Amino acid sequence: MSVPGGFDVRRRLASICGEGFAREAGPADDVIGVPARWVAAPGTVEAASAVLALAAAEDLAVVPRGAATKVDWGAPPARLDLLIDTGRLAGIWHRDAGELSVEVGAGTPVRAVQAALGQRGHRLACDPRSIGATLGGILAADEAGPLRHRYGTPCEQVVGVSYVDAEGRLHHSSGWSMRGADGPGLNQLLCGSQGALALLVSATLRTQAAPAARVWVTRSVWTPLEVHDLVRQALAAAVAPSAVEVDLPAHRAILIPRQRSRQGPGTVALLLEGSRADVIERAEQLVLVLGGDARALETPPRWWHRYPFEPGEVALRLSVPISDLHAAIYALRDAVGGPVPVRGAAGIGVVHAALPASLGGDRVSAILTAVRGVLLFRGGTCVVTSAPPAVRQAIDMWGPVAALPTLREVKERFDPQRRMAPGRYIGGL
C-alpha cells in the first residue's frame, strides 16, 4: 500500500527497521476500532527517530503500542496510519554506580525489569495492575498499582526521559516546564498522554532496596462507611503501610444486627514491608487496631493487583479525597441503583469501578452526570478508562477538565500538526 503519489511507505519503513519489522497492518492492528495502515517496530532509538521523521514527511498519524494491555483505554484516535511497536526498544540500558536509578527502554515489560533488579536485591516501586504491561505503557496511561500509596505513581519516580518528538528529533531531559518553575514538568506531561505528545523511548527511574519481608493485614467489611472508618484508624496507628487497598464486590446483602458476627463480602487490605521482625511487630499492632476478623497473611488476597472490571464492561476511575471516598462510592451506587464492584487504593482515594456491559450509552451518560455532580463539590473526578464502542459515542469520557486550556497549549507545542495519536490526549485533544 502506498500513500498518494506512489510513495512506498512499507518499503521505506522496512529500510529503517529491517525487512521483518515493518508490514502492512492486519485485522488485529487497530486502536479502539480504528484500523492502522502500517506497523513498524524500530530496534534502536535512531530507527525510532527515522520512523517518526518519515511519518512527519508523509503526514502520517502515529500511535505507539507496547504490550497492548491498555490499548482500549481512553478515546480512539481521530485517524491512524502507523502503529509504532515499541517491543524492540527494550532492556535495561544504564544503571548508576550507586544503584539509585536505572534507565529502562520503553518497550520493556515491568516484570522483566523487576526480575533483573531483584537479582541484586533492588526493585522499582512500580506494581501496575495490568499483567505484562511495559514501562512505556504504564507511563503513557498513568497507571499505578497498590505501592502508589507510599511511593507515588511511576511518573513521580521518573528522574529523566528520552523521547522522539513529532518531527523525529530525539530529546533527553530531566525536566521541562511550560511556564517556568511553577509549570508542569515534562515527566508530568508525558505521563498519561497516551502517546499523544511524543514517542517515549526510555525513562530513568529511582530504584530502592527490595524489602526483606512483606505481610498483608486484611479485614472483611460490609459498607463503604466501614472502609472509611477502618482506613482512618489504620493510618492514625502509624504503622507505615506501603499500600492500603479495598475490594467491594457487587454484593446485595443487607447488614442487620444478627449478621454482625459474620464475615462481610468486602475486604480492606494493608501491605507492610521492611525487616521481618519490624513487619511482624507492626502487623500485630494493626490486627489489634482493625479488630473483628483481621488477620496477617504472607500472601496477598486473590484480588490484589487486579481491576474489578472485565473486558467489554464500562471501566471507571474515581479520584477523591480519602475523607469523601465513601460518599463517592455511595453516589455511584445510588446512580446505578445498586452495588457495583469497586476496587483500588482506599488510602489515597483512587478506586476503579465497573458498570455492566448491558447498560446503554444514555444510561451510562446519566450515571456519569449524577456521580460527577456529587464529586464536583468534593474535589473529585470520575473518568471512563474503557467502554464498549456504542457507549463511548454517547458519553463524555473525562468530564470537566479544569486544565484543558493548558493541555491544549501543551498539545500545540509538542504536536502542532496533530500527528501523534490525535484525539487520544486528555479531553480528546
Side-chain angles (χ1 to χ4, degrees), residues 376-408:
L376 179 63
F377 298 100
R378 299 176 183 270
T381 61
C382 178
V383 173
V384 180
T385 57
S386 181
V391 174
R392 289 177 191 269
Q393 297 174 6
I395 64 173
D396 177 353
M397 299 280 287
W398 294 273
V401 181
L404 194 59
T406 298
L407 297 177
R408 186 174 289 111

Side-chain angles (χ1 to χ4, degrees), residues 180-252:
D182 296 329
L186 176 60
N187 300 344
Q188 296 170 283
L189 294 172
L190 292 179
C191 204
S193 66
Q194 296 287 3
L197 299 180
L199 172 65
L200 183 71
V201 293
S202 74
T204 300
L205 295 89
R206 291 187 293 271
T207 63
Q208 60 181 228
R214 309 180 85 200
V215 169
W216 286 261
V217 177
T218 67
R219 186 191 189 280
S220 70
V221 293
W222 285 91
T223 68
L225 183 58
E226 189 177 10
V227 173
H228 170 269
D229 293 339
L230 289 173
V231 170
R232 179 173 54 82
Q233 294 168 19
L235 295 180
V239 294
S242 293
V244 181
E245 296 280 298
V246 64
D247 175 51
L248 291 173
H251 198 284
R252 294 186 176 275

Side-chain angles (χ1 to χ4, degrees), residues 29-36 71 76-77 80 389 392:
D29 297 316
D30 72 282
V31 177
I32 316 180
V34 179
V71 72
L80 173 56
R392 289 177 191 269

Side-chain angles (χ1 to χ4, degrees), residues 241-382:
S242 293
V244 181
E245 296 280 298
V246 64
D247 175 51
L248 291 173
H251 198 284
R252 294 186 176 275
I254 300 175
L255 182 61
I256 56 178
R258 59 187 170 86
Q259 291 179 313
R260 289 187 182 276
S261 62
R262 295 174 55 188
Q263 185 178 32
T267 307
V268 167
L270 294 91
L271 170 62
L272 305 178
E273 299 181 313
S275 68
R276 184 161 187 81
D278 177 61
V279 166
I280 291 175
E281 180 181 350
R282 286 187 286 142
E284 292 174 348
Q285 176 186 353
L286 188 55
V287 167
L288 294 176
V289 169
L290 296 181
D293 60 358
R295 56 178 179 160
L297 305 168
E298 294 194 359
T299 56
R302 293 180 60 185
W303 51 266
W304 192 265
H305 274 147
R306 299 179 182 274
Y307 289 110
F309 41 79
E310 300 293 334
E313 293 184 323
V314 180
L316 308 180
R317 182 176 66 235
L318 286 76
S319 302
V320 70
I322 59 173
S323 58
D324 290 323
L325 180 59
H326 63 294
I329 298 175
Y330 281 128
L332 179 60
R333 288 184 173 186
D334 290 344
V336 174
V340 296
V342 174
R343 188 179 297 159
I348 58 174
V350 179
V351 297
H352 301 267
L355 301 181
S358 58
L359 294 179
D362 291 343
R363 180 78 178 101
V364 173
S365 181
I367 292 171
L368 293 173
T369 299
V371 174
R372 286 167 176 165
V374 172
L375 296 183
L376 179 63
F377 298 100
R378 299 176 183 270
T381 61
C382 178

